[in-house]
Amino acid sequence: MTLLVVSAHAGDFVWRAAGAIALATSRGRRAKVLCLSFGERGESAKAWREGRTLDEIKKIRRGEAENAAGVLGAEIEFLDAGDYPLQETPELVDRMVRVYREVNPSVVLTHQLADPYNGDHPAAARMALQARVLAQAIGYDAPGEPLGAPPVFFFEPHQPEQCDFKPNVLLDITEVFDTKRKAMECLPAQQHMWDYYTDLAKRRGVQVKRNAAPNLGLPHHTMGEAYMRLYPQVTGELA
Amino acid sequence: MTLLVVSAHAGDFVWRAAGAIALATSRGRRAKVLCLSFGERGESAKAWREGRTLDEIKKIRRGEAENAAGVLGAEIEFLDAGDYPLQETPELVDRMVRVYREVNPSVVLTHQLADPYNGDHPAAARMALQARVLAQAIGYDAPGEPLGAPPVFFFEPHQPEQCDFKPNVLLDITEVFDTKRKAMECLPAQQHMWDYYTDLAKRRGVQVKRNAAPNLGLPHHTMGEAYMRLYPQVTGELA
Amino acid sequence: MTLLVVSAHAGDFVWRAAGAIALATSRGRRAKVLCLSFGERGESAKAWREGRTLDEIKKIRRGEAENAAGVLGAEIEFLDAGDYPLQETPELVDRMVRVYREVNPSVVLTHQLADPYNGDHPAAARMALQARVLAQAIGYDAPGEPLGAPPVFFFEPHQPEQCDFKPNVLLDITEVFDTKRKAMECLPAQQHMWDYYTDLAKRRGVQVKRNAAPNLGLPHHTMGEAYMRLYPQVTGELA
Amino acid sequence: MTLLVVSAHAGDFVWRAAGAIALATSRGRRAKVLCLSFGERGESAKAWREGRTLDEIKKIRRGEAENAAGVLGAEIEFLDAGDYPLQETPELVDRMVRVYREVNPSVVLTHQLADPYNGDHPAAARMALQARVLAQAIGYDAPGEPLGAPPVFFFEPHQPEQCDFKPNVLLDITEVFDTKRKAMECLPAQQHMWDYYTDLAKRRGVQVKRNAAPNLGLPHHTMGEAYMRLYPQVTGELA
Amino acid sequence: MTLLVVSAHAGDFVWRAAGAIALATSRGRRAKVLCLSFGERGESAKAWREGRTLDEIKKIRRGEAENAAGVLGAEIEFLDAGDYPLQETPELVDRMVRVYREVNPSVVLTHQLADPYNGDHPAAARMALQARVLAQAIGYDAPGEPLGAPPVFFFEPHQPEQCDFKPNVLLDITEVFDTKRKAMECLPAQQHMWDYYTDLAKRRGVQVKRNAAPNLGLPHHTMGEAYMRLYPQVTGELA
Amino acid sequence: MTLLVVSAHAGDFVWRAAGAIALATSRGRRAKVLCLSFGERGESAKAWREGRTLDEIKKIRRGEAENAAGVLGAEIEFLDAGDYPLQETPELVDRMVRVYREVNPSVVLTHQLADPYNGDHPAAARMALQARVLAQAIGYDAPGEPLGAPPVFFFEPHQPEQCDFKPNVLLDITEVFDTKRKAMECLPAQQHMWDYYTDLAKRRGVQVKRNAAPNLGLPHHTMGEAYMRLYPQVTGELA
């Protein structure tokens, strides 16, 4: 049972999926974050304004992301593929196929396929989906066994409605929210986001309660994360 | 843990949801079918061609549906509200609110909201949804406690693509398919449907396997039913 | 082979479907227009400003519509159900079922299901669709044989994009456009519409040519009407 | 220049549109709130739990809404049409037409057309739209002049993504947010909503800044409300 | 009158479009299948498990596809562009433009534009559409005359609802179904598909009958194929 | 205050956006047209039929576009990136980023993102959007200051409904229509388009009037252009 998180930039997996990651690792599962870039050009405005060089910025963002992954109990790997733009290339997809074959994830998280504010996010998602399908093919020339059909969940973009993000899964992250907050605090350059995403977790928590089956007895301060499931849920019970 | 199935006509719950019903009852849960009409005008062509009267046809359809419910281990209630057209009235919705309050379902199944081939199906669905919301209001004047927020699943219409039915839940009904087949065989006037819906269960079973998480070890002849979940799934784990 | 046109108001069938009607009658087929109202309140501004009474206006609009139908070679029937609003009632739908059973149409034309500028148009469409389905049921209590499954086409609303009208059928009406123009000229109170709908026919004609299969040799001044087919086309040949 | 706000229940206009109302009245314009019901059955859970009677609850909710409207500088009128369900009837629509003719609004605000959690909201919206169109017809039998074509904006539902609410207008309400907060505080039974909707205003304020044209120099704590415009914007300048 | 079928892999044209091809050739028309790849990596699992080499597998798949095309009376050409992934390149599109110019098709069949289970299918479709438009330009530097505007039909993907495949054309293939079955039997490695696609043809045949115009007198065992027409149908008659 | 118009071919900005350009320049604002290609292969059929060479055609189209821009009072720059197909490359996007940084537009106009008749149009739009986002990043290596968030408007494609073009902004261009007509007349090879787009301006003008707020007193011959706004409108007033 392994969770694979494909993140365009170094911070995305923290704001959008830290709850899911912490839930998995708190239950003894492996979680691996694959960062395609460091967000060095597009999501490091503060460092650029301070006059840092590109290499310095990459190093800073890498360190922050490693810290956050550490707090979450997750492994992290960087492909350093560049951002703004994150170019879609066959070579990058091939590297991702190899990660899929190595990790053999039972669940995959990545970005939503639309985001008119940030082209790297859908590019990462398209490659994550393409690599997953390629990794399933026995004839694809990469080490390891063909992949099964792990479900894919899109995590929440910054402006969900503008990205056609209609959540169909609400994840209760109350029990690990403190861990998520600590992971967020590993990213000091984006301090305004700590409260922003705490507020969002409260908001999604309200929706968790509103949509829950009766009598679950959820606590008053339920915290949540929202996801979109791409493929149909396979189940042995409607619930 | 109770399943409530709102069915426009006497046969709908059999073709479209018998697997889900049998799964629930096989696990010791209560299942209740609410038939809004007998399908006496719109889905009893054979009986009309044989010259039966309206009352005879209602009686025949009632008997068949009771037999099918019996095979499935489900209770059944008929509101005899008329079909073709099934008229949406405040009185009928009020009767449905009372059923919700009495049954207190943990899961609700009903028709898809669009069906250009059969207006009764979406009418039943609209009323099932409206009654569910009304039953939640403490101020609604009906006996019993306010309802919680049971999830709603739409079962599969006859021509799914034309009804904008995009399944997001695939239910594995392999273990109860024999029971579903027996329930279908309680409806002798629509014998051509027995094989049609057996073929459909095979087809949905293939999709169950294609979309399953890795290594589930599903049997070769997996049988399935397809559903659309209306509200977001609330969960403590992505899977 | 009979064409049935369900029109909310007295003028709609002329602006939107006169080409299709004239094509049918020019080939010796029966065409029947069913006007649910005269458009007496909502589409007779000029007459109201001239101080006419409601009855006078109904009479005027009826006369105009009869003249236009006459030019097109079509029968016309008025249900005088009132407009602005056109109320959807079981009784009105029942009257329409009886028309379906009597006419036994091979093709049905009506309004698009959405129109944020005019609620009568979608109301007429909803009833036309509901009555068509009811007329198919052998158990529906009305004279005549059960209806088959005639295809339904929505004609073009005044502001197509705002009504989610995406044409999937472009009808070449070049050979009968003069007849359509004459039919339009039977509606003197809306003279500005004559040129408006002539321009529209040119515009749709350009699209006829752009979308035509190669080498059809269409004339320079091809005129067209746009439609949306509701149900799938059944065919023995892809073309 | 007059703003008309059609609200299903007594509180809706406060949570969802108080900013727009306060902006209008702060600029000397007339604003009128039309409450179709008091929300007496569906949105007064606390009062029911306290054992109040229906009449007491209506009176309480009326008083609260009048206070809030007073804070906002708006007129308020109650149609007392009942809630849960708010029944759509020709008579109620007719009363609304008369309000349109009397107020002659230049802008109309109401609920979004979809809300799977609350049927009264879309019912109110459908009637608000129907009445607006009827009021435009010179032949509609009600006092006053025919209405023009005032733009319509849908305000934000409680769970926007589930209601297909994709904002296309973000309103900067920073200068009147204190007034909105005071209006919210007129509704003591829903105290948890005060912070919830303050958080939402911050969230929409962040989006105001992200989507603003360059160099607007918006303040750090911009507050916002989100709207969906139904009809195309008519303008003399792209901006 | 020529049919062009653009198929991502060697088997696709058989499962999805053999009926349309056989209908065309049975009427004396030319049909040409353009296979962009052999499906050597992604759709040849059995051969890989048997330990075949890449070249052997390509040869096997080519032979099977040639046999199937032969049964259908169609020409077949392979571009050997590789699969899993099928890379979209200007060079490949250019080769396809040249095929369009040479074949001058009156009808084009290809894959649906969305398929979350198989990226090669939409890639093939995108290139087929792009090449068609390029071939229409007199200034495009390739031999032959500019193409007209042949209609395009998407054939059915394996999981239609998940691919947003809503059929708007149902093709009656009853008279050639035996030929389709024989063509399918040319693909021995995918024997489980023979029955799967026979069942699908029955299912689509039921829909052919349900959607047919009245009195067509279709046989009991009508077999069908489902298609989506991309561009509006141009016609001289609504039917 | 500067308008930037990204046009795939030399003529597009004239037919589709000349009104908006002329309005801007008539008010003393800077307007710049960026033509990615000359439309030399795909939109110069007449010149090819006359036997012109590629270079001649480019020169002709450049001259015409310069003349039209001159009439409109706009600057024009050509990137000569080739058409049919307009290839999307990182290098071309980078050149566009530099234009954004230099021009610092307050408003951006470009093509709609879908056009099944012309692949160059959506390719231009995708690049225009990507370059806009890249230009916003402080870390993007190009001269100039990071861009703000100028609103983006898509102008009208030739067959709007087929391109999912649903206008949400109607621009009144009455006062500059004569200038638009003169600009169109600078393109002599497409003379049939002069009247076509004059008719379209009338048609959109009718919609301007139908959707206008009351009492605007618009003239009888209002002319219009239709646009789709991509990002939410930010405003301090609902109107």
Side-chain angles (χ1 to χ4, degrees):
Chain A
M1 299 284 283
T2 302
L3 182 66
L4 176 65
V5 184
V6 180
S7 181
H9 309 113
D12 293 328
F13 73 95
V14 185
W15 314 119
R16 311 183 193 298
I21 298 169
L23 276 176
T25 57
S26 74
R27 290 165 188 166
R29 293 179 192 144
R30 182 183 178 199
K32 169 148 190 175
V33 177
L34 185 67
C35 277
L36 304 188
S37 81
F38 301 104
E40 60 268 23
R41 294 189 183 279
E43 310 206 333
S44 306
K46 187 159 169 285
W48 285 101
R49 279 195 293 263
E50 292 169 358
R52 306 282 187 170
T53 66
L54 184 63
D55 280 347
E56 286 171 338
I57 292 171
K58 285 182 172 185
K59 199 172 160 193
I60 293 168
R61 300 303 314 266
R62 170 194 279 268
E64 292 171 358
E66 285 172 343
N67 290 345
V71 166
L72 298 172
E75 303 165 35
I76 189 163
E77 179 178 346
F78 301 92
L79 294 190
D80 194 9
D83 77 330
Y84 269 65
L86 172 61
Q87 299 284 4
E88 293 175 76
T89 65
E91 293 71 29
L92 183 53
V93 172
D94 180 66
R95 291 173 68 191
M96 295 169 72
V97 173
R98 288 159 195 273
V99 174
Y100 271 103
R101 286 272 180 94
E102 184 271 324
V103 172
N104 190 23
S106 53
V107 174
V108 178
L109 310 186
T110 191
H111 296 266
Q112 161 72 338
L113 285 165
D115 190 338
Y117 298 93
N118 190 315
D120 292 0
H121 293 165
R126 282 191 299 265
M127 288 189 287
L129 294 180
Q130 189 187 6
R132 174 184 168 280
V133 167
L134 296 179
Q136 295 175 323
I138 186 174
Y140 190 91
D141 187 18
E145 290 299 303
L147 194 70
V152 177
F153 297 87
F154 300 133
F155 39 69
E156 178 164 352
H158 200 68
Q159 297 191 53
E161 296 98 344
Q162 304 305 324
C163 301
D164 299 327
F165 183 80
K166 181 173 182 172
N168 54 22
V169 179
L170 295 167
L171 182 67
D172 185 338
I173 62 165
T174 312
E175 68 186 79
V176 296
F177 183 76
D178 288 349
T179 308
K180 174 164 186 171
R181 177 78 194 199
K182 285 198 194 79
M184 293 198 288
E185 292 175 0
C186 295
L187 308 178
Q190 293 165 287
Q191 196 165 341
H192 60 289
M193 301 281 262
W194 303 353
D195 285 350
Y196 186 87
Y197 277 94
T198 299
D199 281 352
L200 180 62
K202 273 188 217 161
R203 177 176 167 79
R204 293 303 183 189
V206 170
Q207 294 177 1
V208 165
K209 284 187 290 183
R210 291 228 169 192
N211 288 282
N215 307 318
L216 285 190
L218 294 172
H220 183 59
H221 284 302
T222 298
M223 306 296 269
E225 277 177 351
Y227 290 89
M228 274 182 78
R229 184 194 288 277
L230 174 59
Y231 297 101
Q233 178 190 12
V234 172
T235 184
E237 177 166 21
L238 297 181
Chain B
M1 299 283 285
T2 302
L3 181 68
L4 177 63
V5 184
V6 179
S7 181
H9 309 112
D12 293 327
F13 73 94
V14 185
W15 315 117
R16 311 184 192 295
I21 298 169
L23 276 175
T25 58
S26 74
R27 290 161 189 169
R29 292 175 195 147
R30 182 183 177 199
K32 170 148 189 175
V33 177
L34 185 66
C35 277
L36 304 188
S37 82
F38 302 104
E40 60 268 22
R41 295 190 183 279
E43 311 204 335
S44 306
K46 185 158 170 285
W48 285 101
R49 280 195 291 265
E50 292 168 357
R52 306 281 188 172
T53 67
L54 184 63
D55 281 347
E56 286 171 338
I57 292 171
K58 285 182 174 188
K59 198 171 160 193
I60 293 168
R61 300 303 314 263
R62 171 192 279 268
E64 293 170 357
E66 285 172 344
N67 289 344
V71 166
L72 298 172
E75 301 165 37
I76 188 162
E77 180 179 346
F78 302 90
L79 295 189
D80 194 9
D83 76 331
Y84 269 65
L86 172 60
Q87 299 284 1
E88 292 176 75
T89 66
E91 294 71 31
L92 182 53
V93 172
D94 181 66
R95 292 173 69 191
M96 295 168 71
V97 173
R98 289 159 194 272
V99 173
Y100 271 103
R101 287 272 179 93
E102 185 270 324
V103 172
N104 190 23
S106 53
V107 173
V108 178
L109 310 186
T110 190
H111 296 267
Q112 160 72 338
L113 285 164
D115 189 339
Y117 298 93
N118 190 316
D120 291 0
H121 294 166
R126 283 191 300 264
M127 288 189 287
L129 294 179
Q130 190 187 7
R132 174 184 169 279
V133 168
L134 295 179
Q136 295 176 322
I138 185 173
Y140 189 92
D141 187 18
E145 291 299 302
L147 195 69
V152 176
F153 298 87
F154 300 133
F155 39 67
E156 178 163 352
H158 200 67
Q159 298 191 53
E161 297 97 344
Q162 304 305 324
C163 301
D164 300 325
F165 183 81
K166 182 174 181 172
N168 55 21
V169 178
L170 295 167
L171 181 68
D172 185 338
I173 61 165
T174 312
E175 68 187 78
V176 296
F177 183 75
D178 287 349
T179 308
K180 175 165 183 169
R181 177 79 193 198
K182 284 197 194 80
M184 292 198 289
E185 293 176 359
C186 296
L187 307 178
Q190 293 164 288
Q191 195 165 342
H192 60 289
M193 301 280 262
W194 303 353
D195 285 350
Y196 186 87
Y197 277 94
T198 299
D199 282 351
L200 180 63
K202 275 188 215 162
R203 177 175 167 81
R204 294 303 184 190
V206 169
Q207 295 176 1
V208 165
K209 286 187 289 182
R210 291 228 168 192
N211 288 282
N215 306 320
L216 285 189
L218 293 172
H220 183 59
H221 284 302
T222 298
M223 307 295 270
E225 277 178 351
Y227 290 90
M228 274 181 76
R229 183 194 289 277
L230 174 60
Y231 297 101
Q233 178 190 12
V234 172
T235 184
E237 175 167 22
L238 296 181
Chain C
M1 298 284 284
T2 302
L3 182 67
L4 176 65
V5 184
V6 180
S7 181
H9 309 113
D12 293 328
F13 73 94
V14 184
W15 315 117
R16 310 182 193 299
I21 298 169
L23 276 175
T25 57
S26 75
R27 288 163 190 167
R29 293 176 194 146
R30 182 181 177 198
K32 170 148 190 176
V33 177
L34 185 67
C35 277
L36 304 188
S37 81
F38 301 104
E40 59 269 21
R41 293 190 183 279
E43 311 206 333
S44 307
K46 186 158 170 284
W48 286 100
R49 278 195 293 265
E50 292 168 358
R52 305 281 187 171
T53 67
L54 184 62
D55 279 348
E56 286 171 338
I57 292 171
K58 284 183 173 185
K59 199 173 158 192
I60 293 168
R61 300 304 312 265
R62 170 194 280 270
E64 292 171 359
E66 286 171 343
N67 289 344
V71 166
L72 297 172
E75 302 165 37
I76 189 162
E77 179 178 347
F78 302 91
L79 294 189
D80 193 9
D83 76 331
Y84 269 64
L86 173 60
Q87 301 284 2
E88 293 176 75
T89 65
E91 293 70 30
L92 183 52
V93 172
D94 181 65
R95 292 173 68 191
M96 295 168 72
V97 173
R98 289 159 196 273
V99 173
Y100 272 103
R101 286 273 180 91
E102 184 271 323
V103 173
N104 190 23
S106 52
V107 174
V108 178
L109 310 186
T110 191
H111 296 266
Q112 158 72 338
L113 284 164
D115 190 338
Y117 298 93
N118 190 315
D120 291 359
H121 294 166
R126 283 190 299 266
M127 289 189 286
L129 294 180
Q130 189 186 7
R132 173 184 169 280
V133 167
L134 295 179
Q136 294 175 323
I138 185 174
Y140 190 92
D141 187 17
E145 290 300 302
L147 194 69
V152 177
F153 298 86
F154 300 135
F155 40 68
E156 178 162 354
H158 200 69
Q159 297 191 54
E161 297 98 344
Q162 304 304 324
C163 301
D164 301 325
F165 183 81
K166 181 173 182 171
N168 54 22
V169 179
L170 295 168
L171 181 67
D172 185 338
I173 62 165
T174 312
E175 69 187 76
V176 295
F177 182 74
D178 287 349
T179 308
K180 174 166 185 171
R181 177 79 193 199
K182 284 197 195 79
M184 294 198 286
E185 292 175 0
C186 296
L187 308 178
Q190 293 166 288
Q191 195 165 343
H192 60 289
M193 301 280 262
W194 303 352
D195 285 350
Y196 187 87
Y197 278 93
T198 299
D199 282 351
L200 180 63
K202 274 187 216 161
R203 178 177 167 79
R204 294 303 184 190
V206 169
Q207 294 177 2
V208 164
K209 283 187 289 182
R210 291 227 167 193
N211 288 283
N215 307 321
L216 286 189
L218 293 172
H220 185 58
H221 283 302
T222 298
M223 307 296 269
E225 278 177 350
Y227 290 89
M228 275 182 75
R229 183 194 290 275
L230 174 60
Y231 298 100
Q233 178 190 11
V234 172
T235 183
E237 176 165 23
L238 297 182
Chain D
M1 297 284 283
T2 302
L3 181 67
L4 176 65
V5 184
V6 179
S7 181
H9 310 112
D12 293 328
F13 73 95
V14 185
W15 315 117
R16 312 183 192 297
I21 298 169
L23 276 175
T25 57
S26 74
R27 291 165 188 167
R29 293 178 192 145
R30 181 182 178 200
K32 169 148 191 176
V33 177
L34 185 67
C35 277
L36 304 187
S37 81
F38 302 104
E40 60 268 22
R41 295 189 183 278
E43 310 207 332
S44 306
K46 186 158 169 285
W48 286 102
R49 279 194 293 263
E50 292 168 359
R52 306 280 187 172
T53 66
L54 184 63
D55 280 347
E56 286 171 338
I57 292 171
K58 284 183 173 185
K59 199 172 160 192
I60 293 169
R61 299 302 314 265
R62 169 193 281 268
E64 293 171 358
E66 285 172 344
N67 289 344
V71 167
L72 298 173
E75 303 164 38
I76 189 163
E77 180 178 347
F78 302 91
L79 295 189
D80 194 10
D83 76 330
Y84 269 67
L86 172 61
Q87 300 283 4
E88 292 175 77
T89 65
E91 293 71 29
L92 183 52
V93 172
D94 181 65
R95 292 173 68 191
M96 296 169 71
V97 172
R98 289 158 195 273
V99 174
Y100 271 103
R101 286 273 179 92
E102 185 271 323
V103 173
N104 190 21
S106 53
V107 174
V108 178
L109 310 186
T110 191
H111 296 268
Q112 160 72 338
L113 285 165
D115 190 338
Y117 298 92
N118 190 316
D120 291 359
H121 294 166
R126 283 191 299 264
M127 288 189 287
L129 294 179
Q130 190 186 5
R132 174 184 168 280
V133 167
L134 295 180
Q136 294 175 323
I138 186 173
Y140 190 91
D141 186 17
E145 290 300 302
L147 194 70
V152 177
F153 298 87
F154 301 133
F155 40 68
E156 178 163 352
H158 200 68
Q159 297 191 54
E161 296 98 344
Q162 304 305 323
C163 301
D164 300 326
F165 183 80
K166 181 173 183 172
N168 54 21
V169 179
L170 295 168
L171 181 68
D172 185 337
I173 63 165
T174 312
E175 69 186 78
V176 297
F177 183 75
D178 287 349
T179 308
K180 174 165 185 170
R181 177 78 193 200
K182 285 198 194 79
M184 293 198 288
E185 292 175 0
C186 296
L187 307 178
Q190 293 166 288
Q191 196 166 341
H192 60 288
M193 301 280 263
W194 303 352
D195 285 350
Y196 186 87
Y197 277 94
T198 298
D199 283 351
L200 180 63
K202 274 189 216 162
R203 178 177 167 79
R204 293 304 183 190
V206 169
Q207 294 176 2
V208 165
K209 284 187 289 184
R210 291 228 167 192
N211 288 283
N215 307 320
L216 285 190
L218 293 172
H220 183 60
H221 284 302
T222 299
M223 306 296 269
E225 277 176 351
Y227 290 89
M228 274 181 76
R229 184 194 289 276
L230 174 60
Y231 297 101
Q233 178 190 10
V234 172
T235 184
E237 176 167 22
L238 296 181
Chain E
M1 299 284 284
T2 302
L3 182 67
L4 177 64
V5 184
V6 180
S7 180
H9 309 112
D12 293 328
F13 73 94
V14 185
W15 314 116
R16 311 184 192 298
I21 297 169
L23 276 176
T25 57
S26 74
R27 290 164 188 167
R29 291 175 195 147
R30 181 182 177 200
K32 169 147 191 177
V33 177
L34 185 67
C35 276
L36 303 187
S37 82
F38 301 105
E40 59 268 23
R41 294 190 184 279
E43 310 206 334
S44 306
K46 186 158 171 283
W48 286 101
R49 279 195 294 265
E50 291 168 358
R52 305 282 187 171
T53 66
L54 184 62
D55 280 348
E56 286 171 337
I57 292 171
K58 283 182 173 187
K59 198 171 161 193
I60 293 168
R61 301 302 313 265
R62 170 193 280 268
E64 292 170 359
E66 286 172 344
N67 289 345
V71 166
L72 298 172
E75 302 165 37
I76 189 163
E77 180 178 347
F78 301 91
L79 294 189
D80 193 10
D83 76 331
Y84 269 65
L86 172 61
Q87 300 284 3
E88 292 176 76
T89 65
E91 293 71 30
L92 182 53
V93 172
D94 181 67
R95 292 172 69 191
M96 294 167 72
V97 173
R98 289 159 195 272
V99 174
Y100 271 104
R101 287 274 180 91
E102 185 269 324
V103 172
N104 190 24
S106 53
V107 174
V108 178
L109 310 187
T110 190
H111 296 267
Q112 159 73 337
L113 285 164
D115 190 337
Y117 299 92
N118 190 315
D120 292 359
H121 294 167
R126 284 191 298 266
M127 289 190 287
L129 294 180
Q130 189 186 5
R132 174 184 167 280
V133 168
L134 296 179
Q136 294 175 324
I138 186 173
Y140 190 91
D141 187 18
E145 290 300 303
L147 194 69
V152 176
F153 298 86
F154 300 134
F155 39 67
E156 179 163 352
H158 201 67
Q159 297 191 55
E161 296 97 344
Q162 304 304 323
C163 301
D164 300 324
F165 182 81
K166 181 174 181 171
N168 54 21
V169 179
L170 294 168
L171 182 67
D172 185 338
I173 62 165
T174 311
E175 68 185 79
V176 296
F177 182 75
D178 288 348
T179 308
K180 175 165 186 171
R181 177 80 193 199
K182 285 197 193 81
M184 294 199 287
E185 292 175 359
C186 296
L187 307 177
Q190 293 165 288
Q191 195 165 345
H192 60 288
M193 301 280 261
W194 303 353
D195 284 350
Y196 186 87
Y197 278 93
T198 299
D199 282 351
L200 180 62
K202 275 188 214 163
R203 178 176 167 79
R204 294 302 183 189
V206 170
Q207 294 177 2
V208 164
K209 285 186 289 182
R210 289 225 170 196
N211 288 282
N215 307 320
L216 285 190
L218 293 172
H220 185 58
H221 284 302
T222 298
M223 307 295 271
E225 277 178 349
Y227 290 88
M228 275 182 75
R229 183 194 290 276
L230 174 60
Y231 297 100
Q233 178 190 10
V234 172
T235 183
E237 176 166 23
L238 297 181
Chain F
M1 299 284 284
T2 302
L3 182 68
L4 176 64
V5 184
V6 180
S7 180
H9 309 112
D12 293 328
F13 73 95
V14 185
W15 314 117
R16 310 183 193 298
I21 297 169
L23 276 176
T25 58
S26 75
R27 289 163 189 167
R29 295 181 190 140
R30 181 182 177 200
K32 169 147 190 175
V33 177
L34 185 67
C35 277
L36 304 187
S37 81
F38 302 104
E40 60 268 23
R41 294 190 183 280
E43 310 206 334
S44 306
K46 186 158 169 285
W48 285 101
R49 279 195 294 264
E50 291 168 359
R52 304 284 187 171
T53 67
L54 183 63
D55 280 348
E56 286 171 337
I57 292 171
K58 284 182 174 187
K59 199 172 161 194
I60 293 169
R61 300 304 312 265
R62 169 192 280 270
E64 292 170 357
E66 285 172 343
N67 289 345
V71 166
L72 298 172
E75 302 165 36
I76 189 163
E77 180 179 345
F78 302 91
L79 294 189
D80 193 9
D83 77 330
Y84 268 66
L86 173 60
Q87 300 283 2
E88 292 177 77
T89 66
E91 294 71 30
L92 182 53
V93 172
D94 181 66
R95 292 173 68 190
M96 295 168 72
V97 173
R98 289 159 195 274
V99 174
Y100 271 103
R101 286 272 179 92
E102 185 270 323
V103 172
N104 190 23
S106 53
V107 174
V108 178
L109 310 186
T110 190
H111 296 267
Q112 160 72 337
L113 285 164
D115 190 338
Y117 297 94
N118 189 317
D120 291 359
H121 294 166
R126 283 191 300 264
M127 289 190 286
L129 294 180
Q130 189 187 6
R132 175 184 168 280
V133 168
L134 296 179
Q136 295 176 322
I138 185 175
Y140 190 91
D141 187 17
E145 290 301 302
L147 194 69
V152 177
F153 297 87
F154 300 134
F155 38 69
E156 178 163 353
H158 200 68
Q159 297 192 53
E161 297 97 345
Q162 304 305 324
C163 301
D164 299 326
F165 182 81
K166 182 174 179 170
N168 54 22
V169 179
L170 294 169
L171 182 67
D172 185 338
I173 62 165
T174 312
E175 69 187 76
V176 296
F177 182 74
D178 287 349
T179 308
K180 175 165 185 170
R181 176 78 193 199
K182 284 198 194 78
M184 293 199 288
E185 293 175 359
C186 295
L187 307 178
Q190 293 166 287
Q191 195 165 342
H192 59 290
M193 301 280 262
W194 303 353
D195 284 349
Y196 187 87
Y197 277 93
T198 299
D199 281 350
L200 180 63
K202 274 188 217 163
R203 177 176 168 79
R204 294 303 184 190
V206 169
Q207 295 177 2
V208 164
K209 285 186 289 181
R210 291 227 168 193
N211 287 282
N215 307 319
L216 286 189
L218 293 171
H220 184 59
H221 284 302
T222 299
M223 308 295 270
E225 277 177 350
Y227 290 89
M228 274 181 77
R229 184 194 288 277
L230 174 60
Y231 297 102
Q233 178 190 11
V234 172
T235 183
E237 175 167 22
L238 297 181

